Amino acid sequence: MHEMSLAQGVLQIIEDHAMKERFTRVTSVWLEIGALSGVEPEAMRFCFDAVMRGTVAQGAKLEIIDVPGSGWCMQCGETVALPQRDSACPRCQGYQIQPTRGMEMRVKELEVG
Ligand SMILES: [Zn+2]
């Protein structure tokens, strides 16, 4: 499950912030998950709770923000919705689409207490 290592990456970000900003407890974590990132939100929730145990973010609430995917269709010459990485263009049904949004997962905000 690659969500486990991703959750560890999230913890790393949280601990870096905790060190820099000198807080000792995180109450909520807002995580943006792109539709094309390959990250399963449910798996991420499960791994998040496991990884945060015993850290500054123990018991923190995980708020997942879904970021829809979109891409640049070379045939249409415009940006189109891309629900999945291998989706066809909704306009021309073609597959020459360069994903432009929704590939990432990132920590958007931390609420500290
Ligand atoms: Zn197209």
Side-chain angles (χ1 to χ4, degrees):
M1 211 189 292
H2 75 142
E3 279 80 5
M4 196 55 98
S5 56
L6 291 171
Q8 273 153 0
V10 171
L11 174 60
Q12 192 68 58
I13 291 167
I14 293 171
E15 286 185 331
D16 283 353
H17 278 278
M19 197 110 74
K20 255 182 264 168
E21 290 151 39
R22 297 169 193 281
F23 56 78
T24 51
R25 189 162 149 63
V26 176
T27 49
S28 296
V29 177
W30 277 265
L31 196 61
E32 281 186 347
I33 298 183
L36 312 180
S37 67
V39 179
E40 287 287 338
E42 280 322 300
M44 178 48 81
R45 277 184 196 287
F46 175 82
C47 296
F48 180 86
D49 288 341
V51 168
M52 299 308 152
R53 214 164 285 152
T55 73
V56 291
Q58 172 156 349
K61 207 162 150 228
L62 178 61
E63 306 277 5
I64 290 177
I65 303 159
D66 294 309
V67 178
S70 58
W72 176 258
C73 176
M74 295 179 204
Q75 222 145 313
C76 298
E78 57 184 274
T79 300
V80 296
L82 194 61
Q84 282 165 10
R85 218 173 247 275
D86 55 358
S87 298
C89 172
R91 296 174 62 97
C92 70
Q93 312 306 319
Y95 287 92
Q96 281 175 291
I97 304 172
Q98 195 73 47
T100 52
R101 182 165 183 252
M103 288 96 75
E104 300 173 339
M105 185 197 81
R106 69 181 192 104
V107 177
K108 186 161 190 265
E109 211 180 312
L110 299 175
E111 186 179 276
V112 301

